[in-house]
Amino acid sequence: VFAAGRYGCRVTTTTNSQAHYEYATKRVADAGLTDLVTIRNDDYRDLTGTYDKLICIEMIETFGWRQLDTFFTVAGHLLAPDGLMGLQAIVIADQSYERTKRGDEFIGHFVFPGGCLPSIGAIVNSTAKTTDLRVIDLEDIGWHYAETLAQWRSNLEQHAPAISQLGLPDAFQRLFELYLSYCEAGFLNRRISDVQMVFARRDWTPPLQVRAL
């Protein structure tokens, strides 16, 4: 909605969740952007065609480490030879990556079974092995994400009565209070971070920068 409404982009987006599909379809229709945005209810591995740009915002963590090569292989096939890919990912230090792959930590056991935080090294190694993508930009926004988690936790506390009315047990609320606090501490201690990476395919060339003398 943002890309199409603000910049006039023609967008194709997909989800394998029926609830997400219905929600996104309504959001696009309400914004009057059905002529620019196509929503598909498909697995990303079933996408075909060629795209000028791809973007994936904090979904790569849910795939698990076994799917990293598959994900980037698909991305490389879908992206035009001069295309760009934006990736936002919560990452863990390279030194801790092998341990997180076992999935025996608190989050991997109770919150996101099957998920795994990648490291920057794991991402770069996977793209180098499966594609011709190369990193052309990287920004670390982990400090900001700590504040985001603090705000989420505050909102959760403020809306506790409404959450209880949904029929969710107290144990569920306590679990997510712990989860949000746990993650906030991880970002503040720099055990984990959030990065935005830009990748380019082989034929991409940067625009010429003309500077005044």
Side-chain angles (χ1 to χ4, degrees), residues 137-153:
D137 196 18
L138 187 152
E139 183 177 2
D140 189 311
I141 60 172
W143 288 118
H144 304 288
Y145 219 76
E147 176 62 24
T148 297
L149 285 154
Q151 294 294 332
W152 283 347
R153 181 164 47 84

Side-chain angles (χ1 to χ4, degrees), residues 1 6 98 116-117 137 200-201:
V1 168
R6 180 68 65 88
E98 291 299 324
C116 176
L117 294 186
D137 196 18
R201 282 208 64 196

Side-chain angles (χ1 to χ4, degrees), residues 89-155:
I90 298 175
V91 295
I92 197 163
D94 286 309
Q95 295 86 344
S96 302
Y97 176 62
E98 291 299 324
R99 174 172 53 80
T100 64
K101 286 167 62 174
R102 297 196 298 266
D104 57 358
E105 294 187 306
F106 161 66
I107 294 177
H109 187 75
F110 289 103
V111 184
F112 291 118
C116 176
L117 294 186
S119 68
I120 293 175
I123 291 172
V124 172
N125 288 339
S126 182
T127 56
K129 179 170 57 175
T130 61
T131 73
D132 59 10
L133 292 168
R134 65 187 191 277
V135 179
I136 60 169
D137 196 18
L138 187 152
E139 183 177 2
D140 189 311
I141 60 172
W143 288 118
H144 304 288
Y145 219 76
E147 176 62 24
T148 297
L149 285 154
Q151 294 294 332
W152 283 347
R153 181 164 47 84
S154 176
N155 289 342

Side-chain angles (χ1 to χ4, degrees), residues 55-68:
I55 188 165
C56 177
I57 302 175
E58 287 183 19
M59 290 301 296
I60 196 170
E61 305 92 338
T62 68
F63 297 153
W65 63 273
R66 293 178 179 85
Q67 293 297 320
L68 275 185

Side-chain angles (χ1 to χ4, degrees), residues 54 71-80 85 130-133 201:
L54 298 177
F71 172 75
F72 286 117
T73 297
V74 172
H77 288 160
L78 292 174
L79 198 56
M85 175 179 175
T130 61
T131 73
D132 59 10
L133 292 168
R201 282 208 64 196

Side-chain angles (χ1 to χ4, degrees), residues 2-11 36-37:
F2 182 85
R6 180 68 65 88
Y7 299 105
C9 297
R10 188 171 299 277
V11 179
L36 289 176
V37 180

Side-chain angles (χ1 to χ4, degrees), residues 82 134 200-208:
D82 61 346
R134 65 187 191 277
R201 282 208 64 196
R202 63 178 184 271
D203 291 346
W204 176 84
T205 55
L208 293 176

